[in-house]
């Protein structure tokens, strides 16, 4: 068994290999395998898995790639994420991908789907629309059609059909994946020093670029070792991070928050891996319908889904209480309309519930963390001293 | 700085001004007259449906742009930023929120009525959804109806998408309208309105396509935003809109017959030097100054994408009285910002060719990712396909902090010099070829 340190080292390399060598190697082993790149926030990877494919999260270049040509495609007032993705598209990093899925996260990602179409990148470039109507006979049918479209795109490439058993099996594997992740979060809620937020981040992000079976094995090993004490408890406050669901912060930022005295006990980094709350029925004659039902009824709260009847503010407050957190750090990418437009209402909800909060903005390639560290440190001190 | 000249007003302009004044008065007295008010958006609006229930529509982005033109937006935006809205986000939203924080006094100085229904027609702009989530919090007891418009990601409208939209109208939008208005849905009345919609749409297309004429009798961007006003907002489906567009079309025909150029606030454009296609919304805070730069250079905008945000009627769509709800669904999905990027490029390239444009210009708006994300690629594509000179300027919708007159003027002057140079070269090549 590998140690947690060995696993996180491996995950850190996998997560930030912007050439996706592991996924490409996986594909090379079988001519019917396909690679489907997808962007944040959420995409139901089960359908790709069931069709002999690997859904690979393309979450930007972070601070790991110098953006040379990507900047020429975007004005200064557009977020950083798509620049890195265009750069990867232009420098050949995405060449072996069969297709790309652009979930309905925001206008930037939507229009990026059109840019990939214009560039003819991959065999398909699919904008994946989430229904904003949650009636199963209306939005449910629409969502199923969206799933069908992606499956048809894959079918055209590898001629594979997903049977009911295939789909149930994929759903089961991703159910396990989410359960294991949730168990890690549950342990971190009690003993956040046993696995740092950064280690957690590496482990989760690696799961976006490798087969779910392998990720599940890794998670089990981590969980097993987390049962024992690891690390030293510190006099830190406990915070929830909100607003980082799309363009990912540089790891230095996550590290800085922790070093400033904040245990990150929950977050929306890599939210897609924990999108569905609870299991999806994996023993059904109609697994796609089960996925539809789960999307309509078991989705977490997110800036990309209309929150009528189930306001995000209340759900954030519930999350803070459930995780026994002391405060919220609103940490959003600059020019991220969904996160930044949500923020005032979320802050209001926190104020009403007496939950302290701070906020700042970042780019995925932000290199200076001193101010953020000081801000987070002051936040931590103020809670420790006066809360 | 000298005072600007009094703008020339044609009869159609006076008609439109009266229509708008009447509407704002109606809105300000809506509550006392028992009229119900629906807040909704311009792109993908279902105005005929709202009017068929005798309700009055309010379009927050129209209020915002009007506030921008009347120099009120700066303080509204600041007020919204004070309560936590980031500098980075859409200024229409912040202007609207700021206006509400200041008593919801509309751009004409009259108080806007509070909504009885929030109808989120979510077409082509993700921010609309966020905007309405915020409005929902400001008006917690007001019912909300969502009409989600699927994106034309495959470059076409499918039967499944139409069915999805019609079902949303039947199961959510219409029942809520019935509840709020206390009236039953009347499909016949809606169909009758659509007869008027189609008539007005025919006339609008004739007006916009008149710019194919050389010289163009209209400016299809700066004046175009006035031409689209009635049909994109509260008047589509009404007799008044048909009357307005009939008058406008008569005026445009007369200008074409006389070989006249467009009317601008600075006077009639006497010499058409450059014909341009423009992509992106205009800046509203310095609208007249912005327009004057083009006027001074003898530039006419012969086609624009912004005048298609409320419907690309020149591609043939008309509201269909025989299938009213299906037709509303197709309308919503057909609006410009709901087109995918390849569709946008094709449309703009066709405009450059069909309208005999000398160049293609983008006014990139900081606030509007729905337009702006991808514009630089659109520009490259147009340049590669057609070999026309392309230009790029940046401003904002209603935040005056992002309108830099000197920068924009400098860039445009350089761009027009390039166009001028190209004309000379093309003329030389043509004369050499003939010789």
């Amino acid at each position: 068994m590998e140690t947690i340190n060995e696993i996180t080292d491996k995950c850190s390399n996998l997560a930030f290999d912007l050439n996706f060598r592991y996924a490409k190697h996986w594909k090379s082993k079988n001519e019917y395998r396909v690679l489907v790149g997808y962007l944040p926030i959420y995409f139901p990877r089960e359908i790709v898995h069931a069709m002999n494919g690997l859904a690979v999260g393309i979450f930007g270049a972070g601070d790991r790639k110098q953006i040379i040509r990507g900047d020429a495609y975007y004005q200064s007032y557009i977020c950083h994420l798509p620049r890195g993705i265009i750069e990867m598209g232009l420098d050949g990093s995405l060449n072996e991908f069969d297709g790309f899925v652009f979930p309905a996260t925001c206008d930037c990602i939507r229009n990026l789907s059109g840019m990939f179409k214009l560039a003819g990148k991959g065999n398909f470039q699919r904008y994946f629309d989430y229904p904003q109507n949650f009636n199963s006979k209306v939005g449910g049918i629409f969502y199923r059609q969206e799933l069908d479209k992606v499956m048809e795109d894959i079918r055209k490439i590898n001629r594979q059909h997903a049977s009911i058993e295939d789909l149930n099996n994929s759903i089961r594997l991703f159910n396990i994946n989410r359960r294991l992740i949730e168990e890690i979060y549950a342990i971190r809620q009690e003993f956040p020093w046993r696995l740092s937020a950064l280690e957690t981040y590496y482990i989760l992000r690696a799961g976006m670029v490798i087969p779910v079976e392998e990720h599940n094995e890794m998670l089990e090993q981590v969980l097993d070792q987390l049962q024992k004490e690891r690390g030293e408890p510190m006099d830190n406050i406990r915070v929830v991070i909100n607003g980082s669901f799309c363009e990912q912060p540089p790891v230095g930022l996550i590290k800085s928050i922790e070093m400033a005295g904040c245990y990150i006990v929950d977050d929306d980094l890599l939210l897609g891996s924990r999108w569905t709350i609870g299991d999806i029925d994996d023993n059904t004659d109609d697994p796609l319908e089960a996925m539809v039902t789960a999307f309509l009824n078991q989705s977490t709260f997110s800036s990309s889904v209309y929150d009528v009847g189930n306001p995000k503010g209340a759900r954030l407050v519930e999350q803070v209480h459930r995780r026994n957190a002391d405060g919220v750090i609103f940490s959003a990418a600059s020019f991220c309309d969904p996160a930044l437009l949500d923020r005032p209402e979320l802050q209001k909800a926190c104020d009403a519930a007496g939950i302290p909060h701070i906020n700042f903005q970042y780019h995925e390639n932000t290199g200076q963390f001193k101010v953020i560290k000081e801000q987070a440190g002051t936040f931590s001190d103020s809670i420790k001293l006066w809360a | 700085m000298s005072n600007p000249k009094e703008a020339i007003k044609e009869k159609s302009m006076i008609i439109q001004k009266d229509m708008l004044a009447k509407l704002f008065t109606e809105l300000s007295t809506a509550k006392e007259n028992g009229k119900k008010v629906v807040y909704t958006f311009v792109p993908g609006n279902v105005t005929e449906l709202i009017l068929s229930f005798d309700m009055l529509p309010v379009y927050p982005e129209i209020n915002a742009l009007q506030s921008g033109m009347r120099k009120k937006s700066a303080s509204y935006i600041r007020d919204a930023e004070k309560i936590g809205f980031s500098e980075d986000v859409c200024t229409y939203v912040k202007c609207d929120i700021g206006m509400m924080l200041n008593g919801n006094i509309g751009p004409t100085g009259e108080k806007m009525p509070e909504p009885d229904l929030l109808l989120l027609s979510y077409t082509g702009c993700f921010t609309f959804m966020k905007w309405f989530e915020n409005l929902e919090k400001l008006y917690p007891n007001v019912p909300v109806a969502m009409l989600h418009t699927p994106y034309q990601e495959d470059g076409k409208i499918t039967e499944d998408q139409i069915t999805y939209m019609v079902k949303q109208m039947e199961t959510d939008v219409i029942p809520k309208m019935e509840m709020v208005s206390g009236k039953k849905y009347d499909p016949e009345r809606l169909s009758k309105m659509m007869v008027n919609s189609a008539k007005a749409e025919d006339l609008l297309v004739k007006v916009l396509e008149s710019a194919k004429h050389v010289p163009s009798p209209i400016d299809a961007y700066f004046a175009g935003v006035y031409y689209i006003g009635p049909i994109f907002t509260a008047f589509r489906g009404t007799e008044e809109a048909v009357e307005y567009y009939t008058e406008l079309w008569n005026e445009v025909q007369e200008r074409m017959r006389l070989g006249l150029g467009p009317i601008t606030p600075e006077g009639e454009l006497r010499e058409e030097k450059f014909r341009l296609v423009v992509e992106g919304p205009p800046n509203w805070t310095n609208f007249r100054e912005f327009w004057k730069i083009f006027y001074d250079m003898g530039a006419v905008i012969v086609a624009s994408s912004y005048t298609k945000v409320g419907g690309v009627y020149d591609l043939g769509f008309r509201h269909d009285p025989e299938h009213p709800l299906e037709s509303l669904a197709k309308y919503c999905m057909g609006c410009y910002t709901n087109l995918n990027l390849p569709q946008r490029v094709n449309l703009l390239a066709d405009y450059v060719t069909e309208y005999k444009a000398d160049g293609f210009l983008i006014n990139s708006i900081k606030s509007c990712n729905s337009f702006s994300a991808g514009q630089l690629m659109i520009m490259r594509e147009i340049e590669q396909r057609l070999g026309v000179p392309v230009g790029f300027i940046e401003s904002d919708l209603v935040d005056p902090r992002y309108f830099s007159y000197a920068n924009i003027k400098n860039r445009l002057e350089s761009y027009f010099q390039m166009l001028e140079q190209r004309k000379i070269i093309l003329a030389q090549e043509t004369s050499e070829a003939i010789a």
Side-chain angles (χ1 to χ4, degrees), chain A residues 294-305:
Chain A
F295 180 84
L296 297 178
N297 304 313
Q298 293 168 238
S299 290
T300 185
F301 63 104
S302 144
S303 288
S304 64
V305 176

Side-chain angles (χ1 to χ4, degrees), chain A residues 221-236:
Chain A
Q221 288 184 39
V222 170
L223 256 178
D224 192 48
Q225 294 176 62
L226 284 182
Q227 307 304 321
K228 290 174 231 146
E229 201 52 88
R230 179 174 181 265
E232 290 288 324
M234 311 272 279
D235 182 25
N236 285 358

Side-chain angles (χ1 to χ4, degrees), chain B residues 263-381:
Chain B
I263 292 178
T264 82
E266 315 307 321
E268 189 179 291
L269 187 77
R270 304 258 175 224
E271 188 192 358
E272 180 186 278
K273 286 191 187 163
F274 305 109
R275 297 166 65 85
L276 299 177
V277 170
V278 172
E279 146 75 12
N283 161 270
W284 300 110
T285 54
N286 299 66
F287 187 79
R288 188 164 171 178
E289 274 176 281
F290 191 28
W291 191 350
K292 189 171 181 299
I293 300 174
F294 291 81
Y295 170 83
D296 289 342
M297 298 289 178
V300 177
I301 316 303
V302 288
S304 66
S305 55
Y306 184 69
T307 50
K308 312 296 152 48
V309 284
V312 192
Y313 296 112
D314 45 345
L315 290 183
F317 170 81
R318 297 291 180 274
H319 282 84
D320 178 3
E322 299 293 317
H323 305 95
L325 295 184
E326 289 79 2
S327 160
L328 284 173
K330 286 184 195 167
Y331 163 71
C332 292
M333 286 187 276
C335 292
Y336 179 75
T337 48
N338 206 53
L339 306 183
N340 72 16
L341 256 58
Q343 285 175 294
R344 294 186 200 185
V345 170
N346 290 340
L347 184 72
L348 293 164
D350 286 347
Y351 283 164
V352 172
T353 309
E354 289 170 14
Y355 287 78
K356 301 181 267 298
D358 302 303
F360 174 72
L361 178 72
I362 290 178
N363 180 36
S364 187
I365 292 291
K366 173 192 167 279
S367 269
C368 187
N369 288 344
S370 182
F371 267 101
S372 301
Q375 271 177 334
L376 287 162
M377 189 156 188
I378 289 176
M379 188 174 78
R380 282 162 188 244
E381 287 285 318

Side-chain angles (χ1 to χ4, degrees), chain A residues 72-73 75 77 105 107 110-111 117 126-127 130 137 141 145 303 306-307 312 335 337 342 345 361, chain B residues 86 88-89 124 126-127 130 133 137 144 148 153-154 160 167 344 364 370 372-373 375 380 394:
Chain A
Y73 285 78
Q75 301 89 315
Y77 43 79
T105 301
D107 294 326
R110 187 196 62 184
N111 287 5
K117 276 184 201 292
R126 179 65 61 191
Y127 176 67
Y130 305 137
K137 301 267 188 289
I141 291 172
Q145 287 160 351
S303 288
Y306 193 44
D307 76 352
K312 287 184 276 284
F335 304 107
D337 267 356
D342 269 350
E345 282 304 324
Q361 289 175 216
Chain B
S86 165
D88 290 358
V89 301
F126 188 84
T127 297
K130 304 279 102 196
E133 284 177 350
K137 308 290 185 309
V144 186
H148 171 212
E153 70 114 9
D154 266 339
D160 286 343
K167 272 194 199 167
R344 294 186 200 185
S364 187
S370 182
S372 301
Q375 271 177 334
R380 282 162 188 244
E394 293 175 310

